[in-house]
Every structure is written in C-alpha cells, then in structure tokens.
Amino acid sequence: MKAWVAACKSGGGSARLVFPKGTYVTGPLVFAGPCKASKITVEVQGTIKATTDISEYTSPEWILFESIKGLTLTGGIFDGRGETVWKYNDCHQNSDCQLLPTSIKFSKLTNTVVHGITSLNSKSFHTHVYMCQNFKAYDLTITAPSNSPNTDGMHISLSDLVNVSNSVIGTGDDCISIGQGVTNLGVTKITCGPGHGISVGSLGKYDDEKDVSGVVVSNCTLRDTTNGVRIKTYSGSPPSKASGITFQDIIMDAVKNPIIVDQKYGSHKSAASKVQISGVHYKNIVGTSTSDVAVSLLCSSQVPCDVELVDIDLKFQGSSTNKAKSASSSCLNAKVKTGGKLNPPACR
C-alpha cells in the first residue's frame, strides 16, 4: 500500500507499480485515487490469494480500484479462495441475502485497461465494473466450478463505453451480467461455459433503476451453459427500459436455453414487469440446444417486447429417448420480426 501511495502521488507523467513473482496472502485492499500521475500501471507477476475469514471483509469486495484516471491492470493470478466460504451463501433461499465479497471491483474509473489477468474461485462476483467510463478488458481467464454460487465472471452496472473481448470465462453463474445503467457496451470473442450464459439483467429489482441501451454481444461461443443469450427482468418491477440490444454471430454448443427473454425472473409474483424491452436483435445464432424450446420469449403483458430474429439455426440435441423431437419456439406478449432462415420456426 505504501508503494501504491508513492506511485499515485508521483507527479506529472506515468507511474508503475509491480508485484514481483511470488505468492501473497492478503485481506481487503483499496487502491484509491485521485492520483497525480496521469497514467498508472499495476503489474502483477505473481499470485495474490485472499484470506478466508469473512469477518475481515467489512466492505463488499476484496480488492477495490476507485476514483482513478488512466489505470492499467495487467497480469497475475487473483485467487479468491471462494471454495472455503461458498457454503455460507444462502442466496438461493434468501432473497435479502448478503453477497460474499467480489474479488475485484473497479469503481468510478475513467480510461481503464485490464488485460492478461486470471481470476480463480471468487467468493462472489469475480469482477464488478461500477460507474466506469471508457473501460476496456481483454485476455481475461475467469474460472470457478459450475456449482459455485453467484460467481459471475464480470458484472457491469452504471457504466458507459465498456468493451470486453478475447476472454475465457467459466463459472457457476453468468459469464457476463449486464445490470442497470449500462450504455454503449461491446462484448466480443468470449468463450463462456460452464455457467448461466451472457445476460442482460436481472433488471427491475429496485426502484429508479437506470435504463440499459446500446449493447452488442458478438462472435461468442457458449458451451454447456444453462442459458445462452438472455434478458431477464423481475415480475412486478418498477418501470425502466432496455433497448438497442444485439446478439450476433453466436455459437451454442449443448446450451439449455439458447435464446431467452424472461420477464418473470426471480419471483412468483403475478404482477407484470414494467421493464420495457425494445429493439432487440438476435442474428446468426447457430448450434445445439439441450432443451426442445430453443427460443423462449416470455415478455411482459404490460409492456410487450419488440424482438427481431434473423438467421437462427438451433437443433435440438436430446437424450436417446427423445431424439425424434425437433426444436421449437415459445412466445408470450412478444412482437416478433423475422428474416432469413429460422430453425426453429418463429412464433408470432
């Protein structure tokens, strides 16, 4: 931390902080700005391991980078050692649960580059991009077992101009989850699996959520995931909007729900979601589905969604007992436009 303070306070140009090769075990770390250095690079050459005593984590993250302009984080292995504490996660039965600490949170950063890092076994989210402007991440390796709870590879919220690319993510939750207030996001060349796929949402859990717009997910491969490309909103949610969302050039390999809009997520409430979904485009999505309903558009009765399907080719990959089945589509309250080849045929 002394080295960080020295680097941050160094005047004028760029500064560099290096963690040499070796293994470091540490509790919570805060790298806070603003810094005098116009650019600051943090290079990790070794492995940083989290402590396992949850009582040490008074804040909801292990490593926090906050209020910095021109940060580059590169290299290293960040081992959250989540396997020691996942048993304390009760979120599957308690909707008001307290999430375990995120491994790395990027908060209120401008002009950030993160590349070449490995995140293992986070206690909760691997990374969280929050209130950032112009954030680029690439060559990430993010890994946790398929049964690890709430271990989203990257959660993004309240951020603009974010680009995530050329990364391999396999976790127990969403590979990438896109929360409220995200605008101008590009996700490309991600290999996802195991996990819950790439998701916009869940949206509408809280009052006064910010809208989501300008999301493009392209050239990704999803393998053995429980969902493919998904939009999820809570039933009975307050009003907000999710618009201008494109999923394009996606390969599905044995994915359970390849294309899914779920506006009754997370609840058995009968009240309709008021999150208005519009301008959603699914283009050139091909591969195999392990569920016979390969396209599921379960939209809100209060604000029906507006979806375009173009060049979809998803084959049902069933067990030996139901191989004869073919893939199908299911729709509710969806206004669907179509183009090109469609397998399964679109519902209207």
Side-chain angles (χ1 to χ4, degrees):
M1 295 317 299
K2 286 179 183 175
W4 166 258
V5 171
C8 182
K9 286 185 175 178
S10 62
S14 58
R16 190 175 194 89
L17 171 61
V18 177
F19 289 83
K21 289 181 180 176
T23 300
Y24 308 88
V25 180
T26 178
L29 293 173
V30 178
F31 298 93
C35 294
K36 288 183 180 176
S38 58
K39 291 185 178 179
I40 190 160
T41 298
V42 177
E43 179 183 345
V44 180
Q45 297 176 350
T47 298
I48 302 178
K49 292 189 172 191
T51 52
T52 57
D53 182 355
I54 288 299
S55 66
E56 288 185 43
Y57 295 84
T58 54
S59 192
E61 62 277 319
W62 169 34
I63 297 171
L64 173 64
F65 292 93
E66 186 167 49
S67 302
I68 305 161
K69 292 181 179 178
L71 170 72
T72 296
L73 173 64
T74 180
I77 297 170
F78 296 83
D79 184 352
R81 298 171 79 191
E83 66 279 5
T84 62
V85 298
W86 290 327
K87 60 190 174 189
Y88 302 123
N89 182 313
D90 64 348
C91 292
H92 60 288
Q93 58 194 24
N94 175 12
S95 60
D96 295 318
C97 64
Q98 186 67 45
L99 278 177
L100 295 167
T102 292
S103 276
I104 309 173
K105 184 173 182 178
F106 303 99
S107 175
K108 302 174 186 174
L109 306 182
T110 305
N111 301 336
T112 306
V113 178
V114 177
H115 67 97
I117 73 168
T118 296
S119 178
L120 303 177
N121 295 340
S122 54
K123 291 177 172 68
S124 180
F125 298 165
H126 285 265
T127 60
H128 183 184
V129 179
Y130 172 75
M131 291 186 74
C132 291
Q133 176 85 16
N134 194 19
F135 183 100
K136 182 181 291 187
Y138 59 93
D139 295 344
L140 310 181
T141 302
I142 295 177
T143 306
S146 60
N147 61 350
S148 57
N150 299 108
T151 51
D152 296 46
M154 178 175 284
H155 181 67
I156 307 163
S157 61
L158 294 167
S159 295
D160 180 51
L161 291 171
V162 177
N163 189 280
V164 189
S165 64
N166 294 291
S167 296
V168 177
I169 304 174
T171 72
D173 210 302
D174 294 326
C175 291
I176 295 175
S177 57
I178 301 154
Q180 64 149 322
V182 172
T183 52
N184 303 306
L185 167 68
V187 174
T188 185
K189 296 182 180 174
I190 304 296
T191 300
C192 167
H196 295 180
I198 297 173
S199 295
V200 176
S202 46
L203 303 176
K205 188 173 184 180
Y206 304 106
D207 289 335
D208 302 318
E209 288 190 2
K210 303 295 184 188
D211 296 344
V212 173
S213 66
V215 174
V216 179
V217 178
S218 62
N219 294 103
C220 295
T221 298
L222 294 95
R223 186 170 289 120
D224 297 317
T225 53
T226 56
N227 300 285
V229 284
R230 175 168 60 155
I231 302 174
K232 48 181 176 171
T233 77
Y234 280 88
S235 54
S237 67
S240 64
K241 293 179 181 177
S243 62
I245 300 167
T246 299
F247 300 102
Q248 185 165 351
D249 303 328
I250 311 283
I251 295 171
M252 304 286 181
D253 183 358
V255 170
K256 190 173 181 186
N257 299 297
I259 294 175
I260 178 167
V261 174
D262 180 5
Q263 293 210 259
K264 290 192 173 182
Y265 178 77
S267 167
H268 302 293
K269 291 180 186 174
S270 57
S273 173
K274 293 178 187 170
V275 179
Q276 183 165 14
I277 295 172
S278 63
V280 177
H281 307 276
Y282 294 97
K283 297 181 177 180
N284 191 30
I285 297 178
V286 302
T288 54
S289 171
T290 60
S291 54
D292 58 329
V293 179
V295 178
S296 175
L297 307 176
L298 178 61
C299 300
S300 169
S301 59
Q302 189 140 347
V303 278
C305 57
D306 154 32
V307 176
E308 181 186 40
L309 299 170
V310 177
D311 293 326
I312 309 297
D313 188 8
L314 295 167
K315 296 178 176 67
F316 176 53
Q317 177 184 298
S319 63
S320 55
T321 56
N322 60 4
K323 272 187 175 172
K325 271 190 174 181
S326 57
S328 64
S329 300
S330 172
C331 302
L332 183 67
N333 305 314
K335 295 182 280 187
V336 182
K337 298 173 190 168
T338 61
K341 177 183 177 180
L342 292 180
N343 174 43
C347 48
R348 298 185 183 275

